[in-house]
Amino acid sequence: MTVGLRRIRWCFAILWVTGYALPGDPAWEIVGPVSLLGKPRSGVDAVALYRSVQARYRAMQAWPERYDRRHWERLAAQFRTVYYRYPTHAVADDAVYMEAEVYARLFRTGARDEDWQQAVDRYKFLITEYPHSPWGPTALLRVADLYRAKALPEWASYVTECARLFSEARCQKVPDYKSLLAQVRSARSEAPARPENVRARGLSVLQGIRYWTSPQYTRIVLDLSDAVSYRTGVLRDPDRLYIDLDQTVLSRQIRGQGWELPTHAHLRQVRVGQYLPDTARVVLDFDRIKQHRIFILESPYRIVIDIFQRPWESAGQAQSRAEAATRPTETPAPSAPADRTEDAAAREIPVPEANRSGTYSIARQLGMKVARIMLDPGHGGHDPGAIGVGGLREKDVTLAIARRLREAILRRWNVEVLMTRDDDRFVPLEERTAMANSQGVDLFISIHANASRDGRLHGVETYYLHWARDPHAMEVAARENAVSTAKLHELRKFVHLILQNTKVEESRDLAEYLQKHLIGSVRSRYPTRDLGVKSAPFYVLMGAQMPAVLVETAFLTHDREGRLLADPAFQDRVVQGLLEGLAAYLEAQGSLANLTRPSDT
């Protein structure tokens, strides 16, 4: 008897797990069968999983009065489970389509905006991710129906675009296609011609594409009129990275345009197209995709794509590697006697100091060369930066200090010094970092003058890229980025993504040395406050592959410091402090011996 009961229980368990439990069964309502299946093991599991969820869908359609919204949402999640687990299986596109159908049904019965959006998103996902799916034309026309239900004019474009995206023959197989096409033609013949009003339709405009490239690094910037959601994907044979911009149309200036990159670039060209009536697609054609990252910047809204063909290498690292490869193998010299002379000791290679965390970076361990430094005078052109005492403009102060610092570095060390600008011109923040990355600089120093609504605030502070730990740092970053603090908070996830490949420890060390010596130099003649080393999400530091810092030299809005910033003598103290801080950092890195000019030895 016990064995018989056990067999009966096993039979019911199998029916329940495989999806054949009776509709309305309380146990099914508590826990969906899919959650008990675990991770499927083969294509057979994918088919069984899809069929079980599909059977449940048919049962719920047969007895809709037994099920509420919670059951339909769970059903949509179970269809989603199928293509999440098996994205390349033959049933994946079927599962995507069925999930969209569930949300479309919820919208028809409840008229909720979130259901409408979910249905549209799932149908579009099917069209873009599974372009060869037999469901493609049907999904496109379902989107047209949903747009028409909200009286959105794009519905007609979705109907007329069917033949272009798929083929006339495939579209003809959809039962509603001919009637929808006739309705579109009738509506267009009756409606008076009106100029296109993109903003009234709630669409963003892809206004332009900019890029900077080198053999190892490329940065692409997409300039948009408004914030958008986007999807990305990688296609193979040949390698392509695409970015689909939702609710976006192309500007007239870039329609049909392509960008062919220099022959040294691993990225061959950039193409754009209106993939769907309200979805623009940007395609990056590669020789081979290695590594990329994407983040956004606000005010104006732009999407930044950084592409690395190989591990990034600075000019100093490249020189060190080249010299190591060509250096002949030497026979080890006999050990020096215990009573070495001072001259012999002076010729020893300096031992690098440990960083703040008590460890040694690769650069410190190897005593890497510093061959190229980039100075970044903040603001410029139509962007004056902060306006201080007597109308003094930040852009003029930063350029003057950067020029003086460049000359001081060149007099002292055998190193190349680059400037993001050497005159009164506007350089976008994302371009400054791209210049540093593409030219392989070893250090990046952005020079600024501070400002505050509180005219009593004064002093010196230095920043490195990380999330802000105090409100003042957030305000400074918002001002330099020309955005609100609320917008900065939205960037948290992108900052953490970027920090995974950023030299945070080295940047903080560089900031510490610069701050310490800058304060010492200024205080030797002028009273000032040490506001310390801080972190904040500065756009100009985002994506920098080398140690990068931003120095706020003094406050333009403070009565005394505002006047001092225009004084060449004060600027010289700032330059001297930055120079000594740079020397201390290089000595700690074990790099100073590599920079000494021949005339100084």
Side-chain angles (χ1 to χ4, degrees):
M1 181 67 177
T2 304
V3 175
L5 286 174
R6 189 176 300 165
R7 287 179 178 175
I8 292 171
R9 287 172 181 166
W10 270 108
C11 288
F12 275 109
I14 291 170
L15 287 172
W16 184 53
V17 170
T18 54
Y20 292 101
L22 294 175
D25 186 291
W28 185 90
E29 293 177 6
I30 295 171
V31 181
V34 173
S35 64
L36 301 179
L37 289 174
K39 187 174 181 179
R41 295 180 297 275
S42 68
V44 176
D45 293 323
V47 174
L49 180 60
Y50 174 73
R51 286 178 177 173
S52 70
V53 183
Q54 180 71 357
R56 197 162 304 117
Y57 174 79
R58 289 194 296 267
M60 290 174 67
Q61 276 197 315
W63 292 285
E65 67 279 358
R66 297 189 182 186
Y67 302 97
D68 58 20
R69 178 181 179 83
R70 179 170 55 96
H71 296 100
W72 289 101
E73 287 178 335
R74 184 180 301 160
L75 184 68
Q78 291 169 345
F79 277 121
R80 188 160 56 250
T81 298
V82 176
Y83 65 84
Y84 272 14
R85 292 180 178 178
Y86 291 101
T88 60
H89 194 275
V91 299
D93 59 319
D94 300 318
V96 177
Y97 179 78
M98 292 307 302
E99 183 193 7
E101 288 285 280
V102 170
Y103 281 114
R105 184 190 187 283
L106 285 172
F107 172 69
R108 288 193 300 270
T109 57
R112 290 191 182 185
D113 288 342
E114 59 265 33
D115 296 330
W116 182 91
Q117 191 63 59
Q118 286 280 11
V120 168
D121 288 346
R122 292 303 90 196
Y123 285 130
K124 287 184 178 180
F125 180 79
L126 172 66
I127 295 165
T128 57
E129 297 297 321
Y130 299 94
H132 303 296
S133 169
W135 293 111
T138 305
L140 189 71
L141 298 179
R142 288 283 196 272
V143 174
D145 277 335
L146 288 166
Y147 273 72
R148 187 169 59 166
K150 281 185 168 283
L152 296 173
E154 287 84 7
W155 80 269
S157 298
Y158 273 93
V159 176
T160 56
E161 288 290 294
C162 186
R164 180 184 67 83
L165 284 174
F166 302 104
S167 71
E168 185 67 26
R170 290 183 65 187
C171 295
Q172 292 282 0
K173 294 178 181 179
V174 182
D176 297 335
Y177 176 64
K178 290 183 179 180
S179 63
L180 285 171
L181 200 57
Q183 292 175 45
V184 170
R185 289 168 180 166
S186 174
R188 287 181 173 176
S189 64
E190 296 173 2
R194 295 180 180 177
E196 183 180 38
N197 190 340
V198 172
R199 287 194 175 275
R201 292 161 55 194
L203 299 177
S204 179
V205 179
L206 179 58
Q207 298 171 323
I209 294 179
R210 295 172 288 136
Y211 67 86
W212 300 266
T213 186
S214 70
Q216 61 178 345
Y217 167 82
T218 298
R219 169 167 284 187
I220 306 287
V221 177
L222 311 181
D223 295 313
L224 293 123
S225 62
D226 296 286
V228 300
S229 60
Y230 63 89
R231 298 180 303 278
T232 66
V234 174
L235 304 173
R236 301 293 182 183
D237 300 324
D239 282 7
R240 289 153 289 160
L241 171 68
Y242 70 84
I243 304 99
D244 282 345
L245 308 170
D246 293 330
Q247 297 298 301
T248 303
V249 295
L250 303 178
S251 68
R252 289 189 176 90
Q253 290 76 14
I254 67 171
R255 288 178 186 171
Q257 188 174 344
W259 293 261
E260 292 190 5
L261 276 69
T263 54
H264 69 252
H266 48 280
L267 176 63
R268 297 198 312 273
Q269 67 172 341
V270 180
R271 297 179 285 120
V272 297
Q274 196 66 50
Y275 187 69
L276 295 174
D278 56 357
T279 301
R281 171 168 283 192
V282 179
V283 180
L284 312 181
D285 292 325
F286 289 84
D287 288 329
R288 184 172 54 182
I289 296 177
K290 285 289 187 180
Q291 178 187 357
H292 72 276
R293 68 181 172 212
I294 301 176
F295 58 94
I296 63 169
L297 299 177
E298 298 270 3
S299 300
Y301 189 90
R302 56 255 199 227
I303 298 175
V304 182
I305 306 113
D306 280 343
I307 303 149
F308 302 90
Q309 183 63 5
R310 58 176 183 266
W312 189 85
E313 186 177 56
S314 71
Q317 291 170 336
Q319 281 192 17
S320 298
R321 178 174 51 79
E323 290 177 4
T326 57
R327 188 181 300 123
T329 304
E330 298 180 0
T331 304
S335 300
D339 55 343
R340 293 175 296 179
T341 64
E342 291 185 5
D343 184 60
R347 290 196 300 269
E348 286 185 340
I349 298 175
V351 178
E353 299 176 9
N355 59 25
R356 284 168 51 95
S357 62
T359 61
Y360 295 88
S361 67
I362 294 297
R364 289 187 179 224
Q365 293 177 49
L366 300 180
M368 287 293 189
K369 280 192 172 185
V370 172
R372 193 172 295 155
I373 298 172
M374 180 166 280
L375 304 180
D376 172 45
H379 308 280
H382 67 260
D383 175 17
I387 306 296
V389 176
L392 184 62
R393 300 177 299 185
E394 183 180 2
K395 68 174 184 177
D396 299 326
V397 172
T398 59
L399 183 58
I401 292 174
R403 284 172 171 170
R404 290 171 182 267
L405 180 57
R406 175 181 59 186
E407 297 308 313
I409 292 173
L410 292 174
R411 284 195 302 268
R412 185 161 181 174
W413 296 310
N414 182 26
V415 65
E416 184 180 3
V417 181
L418 305 178
M419 303 263 285
T420 56
R421 67 180 183 95
D422 199 10
D423 52 23
D424 186 17
R425 71 176 64 187
F426 174 74
V427 182
L429 297 176
E430 64 273 15
E431 182 175 344
R432 298 170 190 246
T433 319
M435 292 166 64
N437 286 342
S438 60
Q439 299 192 52
V441 306
D442 297 278
L443 299 173
F444 180 86
I445 302 173
S446 188
I447 300 170
H448 289 258
N450 222 330
S452 174
R453 289 170 291 184
D454 183 355
R456 298 169 298 176
L457 192 58
H458 67 285
V460 178
E461 55 191 357
T462 307
Y463 288 89
Y464 63 96
L465 180 67
H466 210 289
W467 198 247
R469 291 177 171 82
D470 65 73
H472 168 70
M474 206 65 170
E475 287 183 11
V476 174
R479 179 176 60 80
E480 298 293 1
N481 295 341
V483 298
S484 66
T485 53
K487 288 292 185 183
L488 280 185
H489 281 291
E490 296 173 6
L491 295 177
R492 181 181 290 270
K493 66 176 181 179
F494 294 106
V495 172
H496 286 297
L497 173 65
I498 293 167
L499 289 175
Q500 295 175 9
N501 297 300
T502 301
K503 293 181 170 58
V504 178
E505 285 290 338
E506 289 91 335
S507 296
R508 182 167 56 186
D509 289 347
L510 176 59
E512 292 278 1
Y513 283 109
L514 293 180
Q515 177 72 12
K516 175 183 176 181
H517 289 271
L518 181 54
I519 281 292
S521 178
V522 172
R523 275 182 175 170
S524 67
R525 294 191 184 180
Y526 308 96
T528 190
R529 289 179 60 196
D530 184 356
L531 299 179
V533 171
K534 301 172 182 177
S535 60
F538 287 96
Y539 284 178
V540 75
L541 304 180
M542 284 191 179
Q545 294 299 110
M546 70 295 301
V549 298
L550 184 146
V551 181
E552 295 282 5
T553 53
F555 278 77
L556 280 163
T557 49
H558 185 263
D559 186 57
R560 184 186 68 255
E561 287 191 352
R563 290 194 301 271
L564 287 174
L565 279 167
D567 185 353
F570 180 81
Q571 293 177 5
D572 283 340
R573 297 315 307 164
V574 170
V575 167
Q576 187 62 30
L578 293 174
L579 189 68
E580 294 305 323
L582 190 54
Y585 172 80
L586 294 173
E587 185 175 11
Q589 289 283 110
S591 304
L592 198 56
N594 297 322
L595 297 180
T596 307
R597 286 189 171 279
S599 59
D600 298 333
T601 57

